[in-house]
Amino acid sequence: MTLSFKPMTTTRFVVEVEDIDLSKPVDGASVAALRKAINEHSILVFRGQTIDNDQHIAFSRNFGDLEIHTVKQYLLPDYPEIIALANRGENGTTPIDNGGAYWHTDISYKAKPPMGSLLYSLEVPPEGGDTLFADMYAAYDALDDDMKDRIEGVRAVHGYAARFSQMGEGGKRPTLSAEQLAEVPEVTHPVVRINRETGRRALYVNEGFTQGIEGMPMVESRTLVDTLNAHATQPDFVYDHRWRVGDLVFWDNRAVMHCATAYDTSYPRRMHRTTIQGDMPIA
Ligand code: SIN
């Protein structure tokens, strides 16, 4: 199988992977090419796919072990590796309009945040319900030298519990149990994260889960996080993915922040996400 990669942005950020059928096992050479591509491009788009849950999981496992999300209410009953982002629910899962209408990096509140996420669309509204992606390598590169110096060696505090109930959907999100809360204590990560394989530097803060900067007074810390977030989400760094049924988008959480957009929720929206485990971010 020879893969081809078609640019979807004028920068290196997003490519479409052509000539691949994800319902079939992917050979070793293609997996190696995809691993290389996710380091080079940060977002790989596969269009026109028809895959079942086993095939989604099998393809995802080519890139690492899979994360089981803390909020079990969203996991498909027979496939805990899959989080169902389904506004009507699915097989008893709690309905959810999207994975987060705020800028975030998946599960950055864990000590070892996931390397990547693979989101597959099964039902989409006629308009809206896009996912926006911000290129955190480009955002870092474009910072002025003063800001680069200011954030070098600095660590940010990430957390889930405090945010979870506020974040979403007019209180529709489930309440976290004591056991779930115990899974997500606050953690710290470097504000500038280095990709171990390529040495590239990315900004690693996000609106959703970054609560502040370690050791910095609250107001100053919040202002810095907001400034970095506003910088990273400028249109120059953002790709807008308009979903079609059968799209699978694989993004690199080490280098990408994302945010779902609004839509008319009288239409169904149903997406399945697998999440690949990652390692401890390094500065
Ligand atoms: C996510 O946050 O993982 C999914 C975003 C979406 O629902 O568009």
Side-chain angles (χ1 to χ4, degrees):
M1 183 187 304
T2 307
L3 305 180
S4 49
F5 297 93
K6 187 170 97 186
M8 294 181 74
T9 48
T10 53
T11 61
R12 42 142 284 288
F13 189 34
V14 187
V15 290
E16 181 179 349
V17 186
E18 298 178 307
D19 308 319
I20 186 165
D21 176 354
L22 302 183
S23 70
K24 303 207 165 70
V26 178
D27 62 73
S30 299
V31 171
L34 293 170
R35 283 172 175 264
K36 186 162 174 279
I38 195 74
N39 274 323
E40 273 169 24
H41 301 290
S42 303
I43 300 181
L44 308 181
V45 176
F46 305 81
R47 299 260 201 209
Q49 302 294 325
T50 307
I51 52 172
D52 62 23
N53 297 332
D54 290 307
Q55 290 159 346
H56 187 177
I57 290 169
F59 177 62
S60 306
R61 284 205 174 118
N62 286 310
F63 307 99
D65 291 334
L66 302 187
E67 178 93 18
I68 308 296
H69 201 276
T70 295
V71 186
K72 308 289 181 264
Q73 293 91 325
Y74 296 138
L75 304 182
L76 286 184
D78 296 326
Y79 294 94
E81 301 87 349
I82 294 182
I83 176 165
L85 305 172
N87 65 0
R88 308 283 197 265
E90 182 176 347
N91 290 342
T93 64
T94 299
I96 181 170
D97 290 344
N98 53 55
Y102 50 89
W103 285 102
H104 65 285
T105 303
D106 287 329
I107 317 185
S108 72
Y109 47 81
K110 289 223 170 145
K112 291 184 176 178
M115 172 267 146
S117 300
L118 294 95
L119 188 62
Y120 176 56
S121 62
L122 292 137
E123 290 180 272
V124 295
E127 56 182 329
D130 302 356
T131 310
L132 308 176
F133 294 93
D135 181 344
M136 303 301 269
Y137 289 134
Y140 175 79
D141 291 344
L143 289 172
D144 63 34
D145 287 344
D146 285 348
M147 183 57 95
K148 283 183 178 162
D149 287 346
R150 188 169 170 211
I151 60 177
E152 190 65 31
V154 168
R155 295 183 72 82
V157 179
H158 295 244
Y160 192 41
R163 291 275 167 179
F164 185 71
S165 51
Q166 308 160 6
M167 274 305 172
E169 313 194 31
K172 276 197 275 164
R173 295 209 172 197
T175 307
L176 296 181
S177 66
E179 195 187 330
Q180 288 172 323
L181 286 171
E183 272 185 38
V184 288
E186 285 181 352
V187 296
T188 68
H189 294 305
V191 169
V192 181
R193 175 173 190 175
I194 296 186
N195 179 315
R196 288 170 197 264
E197 291 158 272
T198 63
R200 286 198 80 179
R201 286 159 173 254
L203 259 185
Y204 196 66
V205 290
N206 66 81
E207 179 190 20
F209 307 131
T210 308
Q211 307 202 324
I213 304 293
E214 190 176 49
M216 195 178 274
M218 176 106 77
V219 174
E220 189 187 342
S221 147
R222 203 56 248 170
T223 304
L224 179 54
V225 173
D226 290 348
T227 302
L228 293 172
N229 196 64
H231 167 79
T233 55
Q234 295 175 81
D236 278 359
F237 308 132
V238 172
Y239 162 70
D240 177 351
H241 189 77
R242 302 204 171 117
W243 291 95
R244 299 179 199 159
V245 169
D247 286 354
L248 182 138
V249 176
F250 175 16
W251 66 85
D252 183 340
N253 282 306
R254 300 165 301 180
V256 169
M257 208 168 42
H258 60 281
C259 174
T261 70
Y263 63 98
D264 178 350
T265 53
S266 65
Y267 292 100
R269 184 178 193 266
R270 188 162 62 97
M271 324 281 278
H272 283 176
R273 194 185 87 199
T274 53
T275 316
I276 300 163
Q277 291 179 14
D279 45 29
M280 193 94 77
I282 55 166

